[in-house]
């Protein structure tokens, strides 16, 4: 059975996309898990076809969370539906705060299911505000697990950047539809960005590659390039000299303020083995340990590394430093690019500082985990 996944923080845009898919595909069915009361342990599975509501079922979960819902109810439902043979397409409409990767990979793992596309639906009037906002999911009652501390902009970015297609609904008065399209195309160059009312039937007959989607959206080894379209710009900062830990830590607040969405990997002086991953959403910054640089690994261990990372390392390879480098990309509207690049360059270790020991490491908390 073919399965098309639709995600999106903007409920009206997501529902419009789902309705369009349902109308264009005879014999299709929609399944949606309502998680508005997941905090009370209640999840409702809603199914409907072209004639309207078909069924509403309360899901009994051992632990009420999004991953449990996928594992314990969504996948068994899809397999039963496929086995019954009454529908050759099921449109999965995800809850607002759900990221697509877990669902997509769970569907793709099943031989009886064929994942055709992941479609992210956005409302143009709300996109910029939500990409720059400070709201947590909990502030909007969209959290899907206990202690869910994710932000609205984090989830929205991950929905957009993982998808194979993005549907844009509404019209933005300030930046215009073209500006919204340009921003989405730079956040996810691999996706087809289409307007509301565009035929979607073709996306129900394709094939979604979960491995490729993960590879291009994982900042530990993804490659980003420069791009400019009107007021929207993506600038990529790539250098082969390490960063001074203290100067970089002091500059973080200003660096983050200059770009709407930042992603990539960086190399700190004094930590020659550690690849650190950068993810910034508006003025929210997350730094994580991304494992060792491949140049720090024994040759025998390279077979355990994902192929996408090995390929990227070979392309980045320098005879003296291996794959160690700075590779940070920032995407935003009306960015102060010269100031951003100058600030980052000022944080690099100078010739005089090269090789010295750094007694203070503000990033020491980011150890491997």
């Amino acid at each position: 059975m073919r399965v098309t996944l639709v995600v999106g923080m903007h409920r009206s845009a997501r529902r419009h996309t789902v309705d369009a898919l349902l109308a264009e595909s005879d014999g299709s069915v929609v399944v949606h898990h309502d998680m508005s009361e997941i905090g009370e342990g209640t999840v409702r599975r809603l199914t409907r076809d072209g004639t309207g509501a078909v069924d509403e079922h309360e899901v009994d979960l051992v632990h009420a969370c999004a991953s449990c819902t996928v594992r314990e109810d969504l996948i068994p439902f899809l397999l039963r539906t496929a086995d019954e043979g009454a529908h050759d397409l099921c449109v999965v409409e995800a809850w607002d705060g759900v990221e697509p990767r877990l669902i997509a990979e769970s569907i793709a793992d099943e031989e009886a299911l064929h994942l055709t596309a992941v479609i992210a639906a956005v409302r143009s009037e709300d996109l910029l505000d939500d990409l720059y906002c400070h709201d947590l999911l909990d502030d909007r009652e969209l959290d899907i697990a206990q202690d869910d501390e994710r932000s609205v902009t984090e989830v929205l970015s991950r929905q957009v950047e993982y998808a194979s297609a993005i549907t844009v609904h509404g019209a933005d008065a300030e930046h215009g539809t073209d500006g919204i399209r340009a921003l989405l195309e730079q956040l996810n160059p691999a996706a087809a960005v289409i307007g509301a009312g565009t035929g979607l039937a073709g996306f129900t007959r394709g094939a979604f590659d979960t491995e490729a989607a993960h590879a291009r959206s994982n900042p530990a080894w993804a490659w980003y390039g420069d791009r400019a379209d009107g007021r929207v710009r993506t600038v990529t900062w790539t250098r082969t000299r390490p960063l001074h830990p203290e100067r970089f830590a002091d500059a973080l607040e200003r660096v983050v303020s200059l770009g709407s969405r930042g992603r990539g990997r960086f190399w700190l002086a004094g930590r020659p083995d550690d690849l650190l991953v950068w993810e910034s959403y508006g003025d929210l910054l997350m730094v994580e340990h991304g494992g060792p640089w491949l140049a720090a690994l024994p040759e025998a261990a390279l077979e355990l590394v994902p192929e996408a990372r090995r390929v990227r390392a070979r392309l980045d390879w320098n005879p003296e430093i291996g794959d160690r480098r700075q590779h940070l990309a920032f995407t935003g509207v009306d960015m102060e690019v010269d100031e951003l690049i100058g600030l980052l360059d000022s944080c690099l270790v100078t010739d005089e500082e090269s090789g010295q020991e750094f007694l203070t490491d503000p990033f020491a908390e980011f150890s491997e985990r």
Side-chain angles (χ1 to χ4, degrees):
M1 182 177 69
R2 292 173 295 131
V3 181
T4 302
L5 172 61
V6 181
V7 299
M9 294 287 302
H10 304 147
R11 196 171 299 179
S12 63
R14 190 185 70 231
R15 182 57 54 86
H16 190 284
T17 298
V18 170
D19 289 344
L21 287 166
L22 191 61
E24 293 182 21
S25 306
D26 293 336
S28 58
V29 65
V30 174
V31 59
H32 172 64
H33 285 84
D34 183 340
M35 298 184 180
S36 58
E37 298 179 12
I38 197 169
E40 288 73 50
T42 300
V43 174
R44 282 186 291 274
R45 185 206 319 131
L46 310 173
T47 57
R48 60 191 175 96
D49 58 19
T51 66
V54 175
D55 184 44
E56 179 174 336
H57 176 76
E58 188 168 313
V59 179
D60 184 19
L61 298 173
V62 176
H63 302 288
C65 67
S67 59
C68 295
T69 303
V70 171
R71 182 178 62 252
E72 298 179 24
D73 192 73
L74 174 61
I75 297 302
F77 169 83
L78 292 175
L79 293 174
R80 288 195 307 271
T81 304
D83 187 57
E84 291 167 0
H87 304 282
D88 64 357
L89 171 69
C90 181
V91 179
V92 176
E93 180 188 355
W95 178 246
D96 309 39
V98 171
E99 297 174 26
R101 184 185 167 196
L102 169 66
I103 305 178
E105 292 183 349
S106 298
I107 294 170
D109 284 342
E110 300 294 338
E111 292 185 2
L113 306 175
H114 173 70
L115 182 62
T116 69
V118 175
I119 302 176
V122 301
R123 181 174 165 80
S124 60
E125 289 92 337
D126 300 324
L127 182 66
L128 287 176
D129 287 342
D130 284 345
L131 286 175
Y132 282 95
C133 77
H134 299 91
D135 293 353
L136 298 178
L137 293 183
D138 181 55
D139 297 328
R140 301 190 185 184
E141 299 183 345
L142 298 176
D143 47 323
I144 54 177
Q146 284 189 335
D147 303 320
D148 187 350
E149 298 180 350
R150 294 173 303 153
S151 69
V152 167
T153 181
E154 175 186 354
V155 174
L156 177 58
S157 296
R158 290 180 177 172
Q159 290 173 342
V160 164
E161 291 165 17
Y162 189 84
S164 54
I166 305 169
T167 58
V168 184
H169 302 259
D172 184 88
E174 181 179 356
H175 296 285
T177 302
D178 290 343
I180 293 297
R181 182 183 296 272
L183 180 60
L184 292 169
E185 289 174 344
Q186 293 187 35
L187 290 174
N188 185 353
V193 180
I194 57 180
T198 304
L200 297 175
F203 294 104
T204 68
R205 300 191 177 279
F208 185 84
D209 188 335
T210 55
E211 291 185 4
H214 177 51
R216 63 175 167 75
S217 60
N218 189 326
W221 57 73
W223 182 87
Y224 306 102
D226 291 342
R227 186 168 175 177
D229 191 341
R231 299 167 61 191
V232 182
R233 184 165 179 183
T234 295
V235 58
T236 304
W237 181 71
T238 298
R239 301 288 188 269
T240 54
R241 185 183 289 257
L243 285 159
H244 190 290
E246 293 181 340
R247 280 205 301 276
F248 190 46
D250 291 341
L252 285 180
E253 184 175 352
R254 182 57 181 159
V255 170
V256 170
S257 73
L258 292 172
S260 170
R261 173 72 169 110
R263 46 198 168 162
R265 51 200 173 274
F266 63 98
W267 169 31
L268 283 180
R271 299 183 66 172
D273 295 344
D274 297 335
L275 182 157
L276 295 174
V277 174
W278 173 292
E279 295 243 41
S280 57
Y281 308 89
D283 57 5
L284 169 67
L285 170 64
M286 295 185 293
V287 173
E288 297 180 333
H289 192 281
W293 296 101
L294 297 202
L297 288 176
E299 188 172 346
L302 295 179
E303 296 182 1
L304 304 177
V305 176
E307 182 181 4
R309 183 167 178 181
R310 294 201 306 269
V311 170
R312 186 67 252 166
R314 285 196 295 269
L315 294 172
D316 287 342
W317 201 264
N318 179 293
E320 296 182 2
I321 59 175
D323 58 325
R324 300 178 182 90
R325 67 176 48 238
Q326 322 300 343
H327 188 76
L328 299 177
F330 299 89
T331 299
V333 179
D334 296 333
M335 288 197 306
E336 299 175 44
V337 173
D338 291 342
E339 181 180 352
L340 175 62
I341 297 300
L343 181 59
L344 290 169
D345 282 341
S346 72
C347 297
L348 293 169
V349 168
T350 64
D351 290 339
E352 292 74 19
E353 295 166 333
S354 181
Q356 76 177 54
E357 292 187 15
F358 293 89
L359 302 179
T360 303
D361 183 359
F363 294 85
E365 64 184 282
F366 302 109
S367 57
E368 187 169 3
R369 47 185 178 265

